[in-house]
Amino acid sequence: GWKDAISTTIINFNNEKMQITWSARELFPSENVSFSYTFDEGKHKVWKPCPTYLLDQDYNSGCLFKTEGPTLAISIRNSNGSEEFFSKRLKSDFYIKPNRPENVTFFWKEDTVTVSCNKPERAVMCLRLELQYKSKFDKDWQSRTSECCSVGEQGFDPRKCYSFRVRLKRLVPYCNVVNYNSDWEAETFWMNGTLLDSCHDDIKSQSNTVIVLSCLLAVLLMILIILILLCKWQRLQKSVMPAIPDPKHVFADLFSDHNGNFQEWVDKTDHAAVQTKIECEEPECITEAESQQEDNKNSDKQRPREKIFSFSGATENNDPKAAQFACLMPTSNTIASFAGFQILMNDDMYVML
């Protein structure tokens, strides 16, 4: 019953080496078995012992030997070879596991990527080239299979970084009874036709760019908010607390000419105002004086060098400051009556009576 119960794993590595394994500890827990094989056919078979055993805790669990033909016969016996536990005859070509693709090249044109490799020397019709890829935004691999030894795919975004890997597959069941594929070729990283060391570098660079731009945008936004708040605050301050005018601008001469001496500035200002008003009212004084001369014409004849001026407005109003605005004409002898006083002017001498 052991011949039917024993399970073996058979792999023909690219039709170069054969590997046959079995579960030694489970099938033969108390005995270390021996293995023999032959590629000969017919009655005159030459059995060869296993050149290289595979061990499992010091128990023979497999054998590795060279592939010498399409037909293989194997036998598992006890340690001295006197009793056969298992035997099988098989086609070694149905258990081929291809090698990795060699000289893999990538051709990137716009959104299309074409991957190719060298053709194997044997059984090219039984092989297929599989391409798998994914971007940094994909969780699972995307697959594309084509005849050996070129495969192409469209729809790649030149702005994304992609991971690529390829392998060779044997057709089942036309060429293999077991679905054996080659190991994956080393994974490569591409972006818009440029080979990269890793897509993580692209992610880091983009993340750093995003961080820098975000910081700049945040700073600009804060500056804008601060400027808006300042404008609002200035308007509120003007409406609630109006600006107090600076006396330096209103009374510039008080601080520039008099160093803030208010009394000196008032005296000078009053004197300037009196002179200005006298000059402005001089024509009126002359007119009134001429009118008074006409009324007192007879009196002037007796005293030709004396003239009398009467300021009725000043007398009626009894304004003591009005004397500052009286215009006295320097005649030879003049008598002016003003606010109850009489002023005698003789040449450059003024006498108040």
Side-chain angles (χ1 to χ4, degrees), residues 1-51:
W2 284 2
K3 293 184 179 180
D4 296 331
I6 291 177
S7 175
T8 59
T9 301
I10 303 169
I11 303 176
N12 183 359
F13 292 102
N14 199 41
N15 208 24
E16 296 173 357
K17 284 186 177 183
M18 296 292 301
Q19 176 182 292
I20 298 176
T21 58
W22 56 88
S23 301
R25 299 298 302 274
E26 296 178 4
L27 299 173
F28 314 105
S30 59
E31 188 171 358
N32 200 4
V33 299
S34 62
F35 179 86
S36 59
Y37 68 96
T38 183
F39 286 94
D40 297 331
E41 298 182 8
K43 295 181 180 181
H44 303 286
K45 298 178 181 179
V46 179
W47 292 90
K48 298 179 181 180
C50 178

Side-chain angles (χ1 to χ4, degrees), residues 286-300:
I286 293 172
T287 303
E288 189 174 356
E290 290 177 354
S291 177
Q292 186 69 24
Q293 281 180 339
E294 192 68 26
D295 295 336
N296 301 317
K297 189 174 182 180
N298 296 328
S299 299
D300 291 341

Side-chain angles (χ1 to χ4, degrees), residues 175-187:
C175 299
N176 264 32
V177 295
V178 182
N179 187 15
Y180 283 149
N181 304 317
S182 72
D183 294 334
W184 290 105
E185 181 62 15
E187 186 176 348

Side-chain angles (χ1 to χ4, degrees), residues 42-317:
K43 295 181 180 181
H44 303 286
K45 298 178 181 179
V46 179
W47 292 90
K48 298 179 181 180
C50 178
T52 304
Y53 277 103
L54 304 177
L55 302 179
D56 179 13
Q57 297 181 3
D58 297 331
Y59 280 85
N60 297 334
S61 62
C63 182
L64 187 64
F65 54 94
K66 184 180 178 180
T67 304
E68 299 175 0
T71 303
L72 172 66
I74 60 174
S75 176
I76 299 176
R77 297 174 178 268
N78 57 4
S79 58
N80 57 15
S82 60
E83 183 181 359
E84 186 179 68
F85 297 146
F86 175 76
S87 65
K88 187 175 182 178
R89 189 171 180 269
L90 54 94
K91 287 288 186 179
S92 62
D93 292 346
F94 288 169
Y95 296 88
I96 293 177
K97 179 179 180 178
N99 289 338
R100 294 177 179 179
E102 297 179 354
N103 193 21
V104 178
T105 58
F106 287 80
F107 178 72
W108 194 302
K109 183 178 180 180
E110 295 180 353
D111 66 337
T112 303
V113 175
T114 303
V115 183
S116 59
C117 67
N118 291 344
K119 289 184 178 182
E121 296 179 357
R122 302 174 182 176
V124 178
M125 298 299 296
C126 290
L127 296 175
R128 294 293 181 267
L129 182 63
E130 181 183 11
L131 169 67
Q132 287 191 349
Y133 60 90
K134 67 177 180 178
S135 70
K136 57 188 177 182
F137 303 103
D138 299 327
K139 294 182 179 180
D140 301 324
W141 290 94
Q142 308 296 319
S143 183
R144 174 75 173 175
T145 304
S146 181
E147 294 182 359
C148 186
C149 290
S150 179
V151 59
E153 183 66 9
Q154 296 179 342
F156 290 96
D157 190 345
R159 297 170 297 180
K160 294 181 180 179
C161 179
Y162 292 90
S163 303
F164 291 94
R165 63 182 185 180
V166 293
R167 67 180 178 180
L168 290 173
K169 301 179 65 174
R170 289 274 294 186
L171 290 178
V172 177
Y174 304 104
C175 299
N176 264 32
V177 295
V178 182
N179 187 15
Y180 283 149
N181 304 317
S182 72
D183 294 334
W184 290 105
E185 181 62 15
E187 186 176 348
T188 57
F189 307 94
W190 294 80
M191 181 176 180
N192 196 20
T194 303
L195 180 63
L196 304 177
D197 294 335
S198 173
C199 282
H200 297 289
D201 298 336
D202 176 63
I203 295 173
K204 183 182 292 185
S205 62
Q206 289 192 358
S207 62
N208 291 337
T209 303
V210 171
I211 292 173
V212 171
L213 292 178
S214 301
C215 293
L216 290 176
L217 184 60
V219 171
L220 293 176
L221 185 60
M222 290 180 61
I223 293 174
L224 180 61
I225 293 175
I226 291 173
L227 291 176
I228 293 175
L229 291 177
L230 286 176
C231 294
K232 295 289 186 181
W233 171 251
Q234 289 179 355
R235 292 182 181 178
L236 180 63
Q237 191 176 20
K238 288 181 180 180
S239 60
V240 175
M241 297 179 292
I244 301 174
D246 191 350
K248 290 184 178 180
H249 301 291
V250 181
F251 307 102
D253 54 346
L254 172 62
F255 297 95
S256 61
D257 299 339
H258 303 283
N259 296 325
N261 192 333
F262 183 76
Q263 186 61 40
E264 180 181 346
W265 174 76
V266 169
D267 295 340
K268 186 174 181 179
T269 304
D270 289 344
H271 180 71
V274 169
Q275 295 295 332
T276 303
K277 291 181 179 181
I278 290 175
E279 292 177 0
C280 293
E281 296 183 8
E282 184 175 354
E284 182 180 356
C285 295
I286 293 172
T287 303
E288 189 174 356
E290 290 177 354
S291 177
Q292 186 69 24
Q293 281 180 339
E294 192 68 26
D295 295 336
N296 301 317
K297 189 174 182 180
N298 296 328
S299 299
D300 291 341
K301 290 179 180 180
Q302 296 176 1
R303 292 183 296 181
R305 295 178 60 87
E306 296 180 356
K307 292 183 180 180
I308 299 175
F309 293 86
S310 177
F311 301 94
S312 58
T315 306
E316 293 174 0
N317 295 330

